[in-house]
Amino acid sequence: MKKRVVVSLCLFTLMFGIAATALLAAENPAMGTWKLNEAKSKFDAGATKNQTVTYTADGDNIKCTIDGTDGSGKAVHSEWTGKFDGKEYAIKGDSTADMRSYKNVDAHTVSIVTKKDGKVTLTAKIVYSADWKTRTVTVSATGADGKKSTSTAVYDKQ
C-alpha cells in the first residue's frame, strides 16, 4: 500500500510540474517568434544578423532557436536549451560559441553571456517594451581575430 501511495504521489508531482511549466511558458510574453526589424536596427560591418529568434517551452527549460546570416551573408542556425538562471548551457550550431547563459535582470530585461572554450565572446542585453510587442538587443562581441563590434537589433513580436 505504501508503495502505491509513493508512486501515485511521484506521478502527481511529475504531472503537476509539467503542467505548471507549460502554463508558465504559455504565460511568458517573451515566448514565441521575434522577427528582426532591420530599419530600426544598427549593425557594425560584418556583424551577424539574427533574422528570427524563437523561444518555446522544452520540458522545464526554454529552447531558443536562432536563424540569420553571418557577416558574409551565409545562413546561420543555432539552438540553445536551458533556463534563464545565469548558468551556462550548451549551444548547438554556433561556430563562434559553445556555451550561453541567460539571466533575468528584471521584468523586462535579460542579460546574456556567450563563451567559446571558456572565454567570453559576446555579452548582450535584451530589453522588452512595456507592451511586449518589441525587444531591443544590444550586443558587444569579440571575434576570433580579437576585433570588437557592437550592434543594436530591434525585433517585432510575430
Side-chain angles (χ1 to χ4, degrees):
M1 181 67 174
K2 271 186 173 181
K3 188 175 184 179
R4 283 186 186 168
V5 170
V6 170
V7 169
S8 294
L9 188 56
C10 287
L11 287 174
F12 173 77
T13 303
L14 177 63
M15 289 173 31
F16 178 76
I18 291 170
T21 299
L23 181 62
L24 288 174
E27 291 180 3
N28 182 341
M31 300 296 271
T33 300
W34 297 87
K35 185 175 178 183
L36 179 65
N37 184 330
E38 281 199 63
K40 294 182 179 178
S41 301
K42 183 180 179 220
F43 296 94
D44 279 352
T48 296
K49 295 179 183 177
N50 296 327
Q51 304 297 329
T52 59
V53 178
T54 304
Y55 295 101
T56 57
D58 185 7
D60 66 345
N61 291 311
I62 294 173
K63 180 176 182 179
C64 176
T65 304
I66 300 172
D67 289 293
T69 55
D70 67 11
S72 65
K74 180 182 170 191
V76 293
H77 172 87
S78 66
E79 296 179 5
W80 173 92
T81 302
K83 294 178 174 62
F84 286 21
D85 58 5
K87 295 180 183 176
E88 295 178 0
Y89 297 88
I91 301 170
K92 297 177 187 174
D94 186 340
S95 63
T96 66
D98 50 26
M99 301 297 280
R100 180 173 294 144
S101 64
Y102 282 74
K103 184 177 181 181
N104 290 317
V105 175
D106 59 39
H108 287 267
T109 309
V110 176
S111 67
I112 301 170
V113 176
T114 299
K115 294 181 178 181
K116 176 77 172 182
D117 300 325
K119 185 177 178 182
V120 174
T121 58
L122 179 146
T123 60
K125 181 171 74 168
I126 302 172
V127 178
Y128 294 93
S129 62
D131 63 4
W132 292 91
K133 292 182 180 178
T134 61
R135 68 183 207 137
T136 302
V137 183
T138 305
V139 176
S140 295
T142 305
D145 59 0
K147 186 178 175 185
K148 295 184 185 260
S149 66
T150 59
S151 64
T152 301
V154 178
Y155 293 85
D156 298 317
K157 182 84 177 260
Q158 300 300 294

